[in-house]
Amino acid sequence: MGRQAKANAVVPLPVRDGVAPSYLWLDDKPPGGALAFLAAHFADVGEAVWRDRMARGEVVDASGALLSPNSVLRRGMRIWYYRELDAETPIPFEEEILFRDDHLLVVDKPHFLPMTPGGRFLHETLLVRLKNKTGLTQLTPIHRLDRETAGVVIFSHREESRGAYQSLFQKRSVHKVYEALAAPLPELTFPLVHRSRMVEGNPFFRMQEIDGEPNSESVIDVIGAQGDAMLYRLQPHTGRKHQLRVHMAALGAPIINDAFYPEALPCKGDDFANPLKLLARSIGFDDPLSGQARRFESRRTL
């Protein structure tokens, strides 16, 4: 698969409809011309599609030179192109911009919307939507939320200051608060700290807890009853993939509508009826440029 260009990379094709071009490195010199290689490498795309893209001038090398069907390829070459999808299911939920200054864009993400292009999602992603809405072509997420999770997420749109904000997350200098709906746990005393060692599980998209020195930590507290469920406040002190989902399932109260934990359920495709009851409620930090205390809060509810 190709990789999408980073926001600060020098690329020979412009952003198109909010989508940055992708590229493919050639580790070895392939036999035949450019068309034969691309049709074989991307077997699900088809030769006719690549011919059309080449005719439109949308397949180039690193210098911007157009590639034709018979262009000779060489080892170490980088091929640039636009990723396209024949059909993409619209996601019927809207993001909300909470804050914008010369450096940051803070957004309230809805459930089901992926952060960035990948798999069967391209235009229906938060990054592409925001680029089209704001015109900020250098937009880059500072951190990530799962597709299934809603709430506050922060983007950088200025390369010069991006590292300063990224370092806040690397140094764990950001205070993140989540909320989740799950079954009551009357046998436990709150607040509690859950620590465990998390590693990649099976299937590949899941995580699991194993014996060993903990590499994940969450503080879990009760906010109050909400119908038959309990509303919990979750504060992750580390940032492992699916950490809060794994920790709640390990306590015996998996988050409502979690299709991955404690067991992976059959894929529901484009069923938007039952969102994961997990919300990134707020993010707080001291701004590394101004020193000002900042806190951004989601306007959504579970």
Side-chain angles (χ1 to χ4, degrees), residues 208-245:
Q208 64 178 346
E209 294 183 330
I210 63 172
D211 293 335
E213 183 177 351
N215 60 5
S216 65
E217 178 179 309
S218 303
V219 177
I220 301 169
D221 202 357
V222 169
I223 297 175
Q226 191 163 312
D228 294 333
M230 195 67 69
L231 182 63
Y232 293 91
R233 180 182 296 109
L234 313 176
Q235 299 178 69
H237 286 181
T238 53
R240 297 291 170 181
K241 175 183 175 182
H242 297 170
Q243 176 176 315
L244 298 176
R245 299 165 69 173

Side-chain angles (χ1 to χ4, degrees), residues 24 39 41 58 67-68 77 103 110 120 128 131 140 193 219 233 291:
L24 181 68
H41 187 83
E58 295 178 353
L67 295 182
S68 68
M77 187 176 182
H103 304 275
R120 61 192 182 93
V128 173
K131 283 184 176 180
T140 301
V193 177
V219 177
R233 180 182 296 109

